[in-house]
Amino acid sequence: MDGPDPSVRALRALVAASPALDRTIEIVVCIPCFRRPQYLRRTLESLAAQRTHRRFAVVMVENDASKSESVPVAAEYLASGKFPGLCVIEPRQGNCHAINAAFETALQMFPAATSFLMIDDDEIASPDWLEQMVRTAAATGADIVGGPVFPEFDDERKRGLRRHPAFAPAYDASGPVPVIYGCGNCLIRRSVFARLGMPAFDLRFNYLGGGDTDFFCRCRRLGMRFHWVNEATISETVPQNRTSLKWLVTRGLRIGAINYHVQRKATPTAWLRAKLTAKLLAALPLSFVYAVCALLSERKGTIAMHPITVAIGSALAAFGLEPQPYKASKIVS
């Protein structure tokens, strides 16, 4: 496995660590953090409340070097002894930079670790989450394990959006699956990083998002095995600004752009790329058919328009037009 560039490691500052750091720990939970200290506190509390006899450590990455609002919360929990771990600052802003820093730090600081889990700093793990994920990985031999993330809306009037593709989990039953798409609830074996090399998440997705989808699709192409654990649940706090029509449209455009870039990476020649562009343009009229079907089944316009926005997003990305929601200037604190 190619390690991270030493010059990159030097950029990251270790800003908090537990009093005793046991490098023989075999399970590490990674948390990228950005401007959500009040939510991070809830995330860490849910990890401290895990019902398991297994020892685990937590690696947090603060991705807002200027304010570093997550650091005091991280330091508080690490000093409390509720779990061991550390917090570093990744000064290079962006989704993929933060996640790569988390995995690279975990791999380096815990050389005996075999299982690397991830949870976002706006998520809350159910009490048996870690036990379910690790036990499933051991029992099935899967390379990657995923589980559902269920939305919890600040505005309860938005509960109907739970079925929206932007929020609904990819699967609804435990068992082997062809691939998972998001890293907000996952377990990845050390051997996966060894096979894919570093950096794990492609920096071309740094501001667009979708580095996790690309990562897992590359794993699938290498023949790695995926398993879904429907009981290993995580809940995600969804603020009001993420339920607006504008946000849902942008999310659809972003998913479409991610789909295009993931597929484009698998088309090495100009001819194959031209065929991909033609396929995406042909998908536009078909998306209206899907929208009508969704409207008839769901009776909700915001859900019905999703296939159209995804198709438009893919077509626009083929011509170099795409949203970049993970730029700091675009993120609402």
Side-chain angles (χ1 to χ4, degrees):
M1 175 179 63
D2 296 326
D5 188 323
S7 63
V8 170
R9 287 203 304 267
L11 291 172
R12 299 171 188 153
L14 176 63
V15 290
S18 52
L21 205 59
D22 185 352
R23 290 166 64 87
T24 68
I25 282 175
E26 297 182 355
I27 302 166
V28 184
V29 180
C30 297
I31 312 175
C33 309
F34 189 81
R35 296 181 183 174
R36 294 188 285 216
Q38 71 279 18
Y39 290 154
L40 176 63
R41 185 177 297 278
R42 298 165 63 188
T43 304
L44 296 178
E45 197 59 44
S46 75
L47 294 179
Q50 289 296 294
R51 294 190 293 231
T52 184
H53 68 279
R54 304 176 194 270
R55 297 185 308 139
F56 67 92
V58 177
V59 169
M60 289 163 276
V61 173
E62 169 61 83
N63 197 217
D64 185 6
S66 60
K67 294 184 178 180
S68 299
E69 295 173 314
S70 303
V71 172
V73 178
E76 174 191 334
Y77 273 82
L78 293 172
S80 73
K82 292 182 177 180
F83 42 70
L86 53 94
C87 178
V88 300
I89 292 178
E90 170 53 74
R92 298 169 304 165
Q93 198 273 316
N95 177 263
C96 292
H97 278 313
I99 296 172
N100 284 336
F103 286 134
E104 288 169 9
T105 301
L107 288 161
Q108 177 194 4
M109 297 299 294
F110 298 95
T114 56
S115 297
F116 299 85
L117 296 91
M118 188 173 145
I119 183 172
D120 286 331
D121 65 343
D122 61 346
E123 295 179 341
I124 300 171
S126 58
D128 297 313
W129 170 68
L130 185 140
E131 180 65 28
Q132 292 270 9
M133 297 288 279
V134 176
R135 184 188 301 170
T136 298
T140 65
D143 300 291
I144 297 162
V145 178
V149 177
F150 293 111
E152 296 294 336
F153 297 100
D154 280 353
D155 185 350
E156 281 301 304
R157 293 172 297 178
K158 302 290 188 175
R159 282 180 296 182
L161 288 174
R162 287 191 177 122
R163 298 190 307 277
H164 193 286
F167 300 112
Y171 307 101
D172 58 9
S174 298
V177 293
V179 70
I180 67 171
Y181 300 97
C183 62
N185 182 359
C186 71
L187 179 153
I188 305 172
R189 291 184 181 271
R190 178 181 283 269
S191 57
V192 172
F193 296 108
R195 289 186 65 185
L196 265 73
M198 291 294 180
F201 280 30
D202 190 332
L203 295 177
R204 284 176 284 186
F205 294 88
N206 196 43
Y207 295 128
L208 171 65
D212 46 4
T213 301
D214 172 69
F215 175 81
F216 294 130
C217 286
R218 283 186 282 139
C219 290
R220 178 178 58 182
R221 288 196 290 271
L222 289 175
M224 297 186 192
R225 291 188 296 153
F226 295 80
H227 202 94
W228 186 262
V229 191
N230 213 47
E231 299 76 22
T233 62
I234 280 177
S235 60
E236 174 189 25
T237 304
V238 182
Q240 282 187 312
N241 66 309
R242 289 193 179 186
T243 58
S244 68
L245 180 61
K246 178 182 176 181
W247 188 91
L248 291 170
V249 169
T250 302
R251 180 64 177 255
L253 295 174
R254 182 169 75 90
I255 291 172
I258 291 168
N259 291 345
Y260 166 74
H261 285 292
V262 169
Q263 292 178 73
R264 189 182 185 280
K265 287 182 69 175
T267 55
T269 67
W271 167 243
L272 289 175
R273 287 195 291 271
K275 285 182 66 177
L276 173 61
T277 301
K279 183 182 80 170
L280 294 175
L281 292 175
L284 277 170
L286 191 59
S287 70
F288 286 89
V289 177
Y290 294 142
V292 171
C293 294
L295 184 61
L296 292 174
S297 61
E298 297 292 343
R299 306 286 182 181
K300 200 168 185 65
T302 51
I303 295 178
M305 73 180 183
H306 184 73
I308 299 173
T309 57
V310 170
I312 293 172
S314 293
L316 290 176
F319 295 98
L321 301 171
E322 60 194 36
Q324 293 190 325
Y326 287 105
K327 275 194 172 180
S329 60
K330 302 289 182 67
I331 298 175
V332 179
S333 302

